Amino acid sequence: MSDLTIDLTAPNGKKFTLPTGLFINNEFVKSSSNQLITSINPTDESEICSVHAASASDVDAAVRAARSAFNHESWRDLPPTDRGALMYKLAGLIESHAETLASIETWDNGKPYSVALNEDLAEVVSCFRYYAGWADKIHGQTISTTPQKLAYTLRQPIGVCGQIIPWNYPLAMAAWKLGPALACGNTVVIKAAEQTPLSILYLAALIKEAGFPAGVVNVLNGYGKEAGAAIATHMDVDKIAFTGSTATGKQIMKMAAVNMKNITLETGGKSPLIVFEDADLEQAAKWAHIGIMSNQGQICTATSRLLVQAPIYQEFISKFHAAISSTSKVGDPFSESTFQGPQVTRAQYERVLSYIESGRSEGATLATGGHPQKDVGSGKGFFIEPTVFTDVRPEMKIYREEVFGPFVVVAKFETEDEALHMANDTTYGLGSAVFTRDVERAHRVAARIEAGMVWVNSSNDSDFRVPFGGVKQSGVGRELGEAGLEAYCQTKAVHVNLGTRL
């Protein structure tokens, strides 16, 4: 074991060697400050290992490497088809190392291994392949003006992109950002969340193995207040892409203004799921369960406000409770039978518990859950029972604020207009869902909900080919799909004089 790698064995027996340094200019290096981040296993609260944390000086070194790579012919002049080929190769490497990456993700994050492998890693591979296919299809256009002018546009990369990813889907969010950035020909400095610093380092080694030129992708761990702020304020970073809380997103917007960086933000949500009386209640209850309880409730688009029409309110609650009871097995994330693992950190665990206390004190009805789950393993770990509050009123804190856990509120409405008013009565506007058999109502309500995404008769079944993003305080811009490319390229207009004389 060198001083910048460590040999580890995950709880499922998977053995691997993990780099622990900062990945700058295709090499793993120590932090200039020797500061470290220690990863904690949320299942039993034990230490996994420590990795290097970037200082502002390290961020500067990574940005310099990215700028040099952006201007170097090995990347600048690489034919886009060849750029796509590198991305296809990386996707193949990720696929062949999927079990290791999923093991790291589960160990570091707490999500069920079956989800990390079959859902998250599958999405990572698909996302890279999708954008690899776009690499040689990004082009400008000719524009007819007059016979004396040839006008055309070029779609060109923005430059050096700073990317800051969250802890709930570390690898998936890295793919969402790296895919379009690389397809468009940018270079990247990407920082992982300090809560989940491990899987991105293994990915960095695969990026080098795939053959990307030095400096094209630089991978840092570090604390947000130091490394994240250094990326956001750096004068030679052309773009910032961030996924995380709304509060942090606002701070990044302010910092990025120092040189008017191009910006993409995907932030918080308090997404509504509306169930009309004509809905298929069995399906509505099952999708509502998936929409809030999957990934331990740690999903920005989680449909965490269930708005149910009065005539079917009690019947829906009964079916929703049945879906939780039959599916939400809380346990060891490496167990095949586990649906819900631990919250990612003690801080997140305590945050969810504080909202449970708030719901009680505000007078909502605790229908199920509401306690730490202490019957897993040795009794340690950040496990919380799936929690449902009913008879929730719109003025309550638990109705208005994002909890980010296995925690849902249920409220009642009478009419379609009231449902829309309740759905839109929020500072957020990320996801939403509508359950009805009336196709006219479905389209009508989908058009009037103030959200970047609407699922009709489903919840949280996003797709890498379809744009993802929010309105209001849920973000700026779009990721995924063809729309995701717009965030990473800029249009240059060229005017060629074909005969106009002065």
Side-chain angles (χ1 to χ4, degrees), residues 22-29 58-59 61-62 65 215 217-220:
L22 310 172
F23 186 69
I24 299 174
N25 213 34
N26 267 14
E27 299 295 335
F28 287 97
V29 298
D58 297 317
V59 169
V217 180
N218 303 273
V219 177
L220 306 179

Side-chain angles (χ1 to χ4, degrees), residues 380-400:
K380 291 186 176 182
F382 309 130
F383 298 91
I384 296 178
E385 295 173 347
T387 298
V388 181
F389 278 97
T390 59
D391 305 319
V392 177
R393 301 185 305 276
E395 68 270 16
M396 291 181 176
K397 181 179 179 180
I398 59 173
Y399 181 92
R400 309 202 70 80

Side-chain angles (χ1 to χ4, degrees), residues 120-157:
D120 290 19
L121 264 298
E123 181 177 24
V124 170
V125 171
S126 295
C127 190
F128 274 115
R129 285 179 174 154
Y130 175 79
Y131 282 112
W134 269 110
D136 58 4
K137 301 169 188 67
I138 301 167
H139 49 74
Q141 58 185 169
T142 58
I143 302 168
S144 296
T145 57
T146 71
Q148 287 75 42
K149 174 181 283 192
L150 168 64
Y152 64 93
T153 60
L154 300 172
R155 292 179 71 187
Q156 297 181 316

Side-chain angles (χ1 to χ4, degrees), residues 121-307:
L121 264 298
E123 181 177 24
V124 170
V125 171
S126 295
C127 190
F128 274 115
R129 285 179 174 154
Y130 175 79
Y131 282 112
W134 269 110
D136 58 4
K137 301 169 188 67
I138 301 167
H139 49 74
Q141 58 185 169
T142 58
I143 302 168
S144 296
T145 57
T146 71
Q148 287 75 42
K149 174 181 283 192
L150 168 64
Y152 64 93
T153 60
L154 300 172
R155 292 179 71 187
Q156 297 181 316
I158 290 173
V160 175
C161 300
Q163 301 179 328
I164 301 173
I165 58 174
W167 47 257
N168 57 337
Y169 289 96
L171 289 172
M173 295 300 99
W176 284 25
K177 289 174 172 55
L178 287 171
L182 296 174
C184 291
N186 298 279
T187 58
V188 175
V189 177
I190 187 168
K191 188 193 89 67
E194 56 258 39
Q195 298 87 346
T196 51
L198 303 187
S199 58
I200 194 76
L201 295 173
Y202 198 92
L203 176 65
L206 298 182
I207 290 170
K208 182 176 182 178
E209 185 178 344
F212 283 86
V216 171
V217 180
N218 303 273
V219 177
L220 306 179
N221 276 300
Y223 293 97
K225 290 182 178 180
E226 183 171 3
I231 293 171
T233 58
H234 201 289
M235 295 298 290
D236 203 28
V237 170
D238 302 300
K239 177 188 174 63
I240 287 288
F242 167 80
T243 297
S245 73
T246 295
T248 303
K250 290 178 180 179
Q251 292 301 311
I252 286 175
M253 286 188 81
K254 292 177 183 177
M255 290 186 281
V258 66
N259 63 335
M260 295 185 70
K261 292 178 178 67
N262 181 302
I263 192 164
T264 303
L265 302 175
E266 193 268 284
T267 53
K270 191 72 173 178
S271 300
L273 183 150
I274 303 172
V275 185
F276 287 100
E277 60 185 328
D278 67 332
D280 181 330
L281 294 191
E282 291 283 352
Q283 284 297 302
K286 289 178 180 179
W287 278 107
H289 170 260
I290 291 293
I292 180 60
M293 297 301 174
S294 56
N295 208 52
Q296 296 67 250
Q298 298 168 155
I299 310 173
C300 53
T301 53
T303 37
S304 54
R305 290 184 297 146
L306 308 184
L307 311 180

